[in-house]
Amino acid sequence: MKKFICIFFTLFLSGCVNTAYISSVTDPEYNINISDSIYIFIDDEAKIKDRQFGALLKKEMKETGFNITDDPLEASYILGFQMGQKTSTVNSAILLPQTSYTSGYVGGTYYSGTTTSTTAIPYSTDYTAKKVWLELYSIQDLKNEIQKTVWEGYIGSDINDFEKRPKKHLRLLLNVFGTNYAAHTPIN
């Protein structure tokens, strides 16, 4: 029985399908397209992890057909990004069915019976989500001192899964570029 519980816990906590929450919103005043020239902004004082992510973002966008430029003066849009993580504690219980069988003699009479119940096994686990936000701004708006986002994209998933497959996560987010989308999405 202990072996069954350990296997059950392992399967329950690890899950079968990894998902990421993806959100994408587009300002309806703009008609953005992947063929529009985009400059990816990376601050001169950015940390190494941010510069590495910026390089990966640039590579993935180019490979998926985006028109990425290294010159902000040639760009129609500027894309900024932020990364973060959040750890939450999940408290819950696994309900396991339990059946016990009894039999024997009571006062010379044979008796047998079955009792069924449910046992709650409490557990607590920490979950750390990796989060990435992308924000697209119109260069023309910025020249006119208007700072409003044209498109906002977000993806969040288990940090271990994200760090194993950052390209896959980025591609999922880039697939909804310029659309309105919000859903837990399987990571195949």
Side-chain angles (χ1 to χ4, degrees):
M1 181 68 171
K2 285 184 181 181
K3 188 175 184 178
F4 169 76
I5 291 173
C6 289
I7 291 170
F8 184 78
F9 259 112
T10 302
L11 291 174
F12 181 78
L13 294 176
S14 65
C16 296
V17 176
N18 291 331
T19 64
Y21 181 76
I22 299 174
S23 173
S24 171
V25 290
T26 302
D27 187 323
E29 292 180 26
Y30 297 84
N31 185 20
I32 57 175
N33 193 305
I34 66 170
S35 63
D36 295 330
S37 57
I38 299 173
Y39 173 76
I40 299 174
F41 176 77
I42 302 172
D43 192 330
D44 292 337
E45 297 177 15
K47 295 179 181 177
I48 292 172
K49 281 242 182 223
D50 291 336
R51 292 192 309 262
Q52 289 173 337
F53 181 81
L56 176 64
L57 177 60
K58 184 177 184 178
K59 179 180 179 281
E60 290 304 307
M61 289 184 80
K62 281 183 176 181
E63 287 182 7
T64 54
F66 284 83
N67 180 8
I68 303 301
T69 180
D70 291 327
D71 186 353
L73 300 176
E74 294 178 5
S76 300
Y77 296 98
I78 186 167
L79 181 68
F81 64 89
Q82 296 177 2
M83 297 185 304
Q85 63 187 51
K86 180 181 177 186
T87 300
S88 303
T89 300
V90 178
N91 297 309
S92 190
I94 295 176
L95 302 175
L96 295 177
Q98 185 175 6
T99 304
S100 61
Y101 303 96
T102 46
S103 62
Y105 288 94
V106 177
T109 304
Y110 182 76
Y111 169 81
S112 72
T114 303
T115 305
T116 58
S117 63
T118 303
T119 302
I121 301 174
Y123 73 92
S124 179
T125 186
D126 287 338
Y127 175 82
T128 302
K130 176 78 170 186
K131 301 176 175 192
V132 174
W133 295 268
L134 302 180
E135 296 175 332
L136 188 71
Y137 297 87
S138 162
I139 294 288
Q140 189 60 47
D141 283 351
L142 295 175
K143 286 179 181 177
N144 294 328
E145 298 183 12
I146 300 170
Q147 291 189 349
K148 67 177 181 178
T149 52
V150 174
W151 173 77
E152 298 170 2
Y154 166 84
I155 186 166
S157 76
D158 176 74
I159 192 166
N160 295 319
D161 192 40
F162 191 96
E163 290 178 354
K164 286 178 192 169
R165 303 185 290 174
K167 291 179 184 182
K168 181 66 177 172
H169 285 77
L170 273 179
R171 293 253 175 142
L172 287 171
L173 181 54
L174 294 174
N175 285 343
V176 297
F177 177 83
T179 67
N180 292 316
Y181 179 88
H184 287 276
T185 306
I187 304 168
N188 298 330

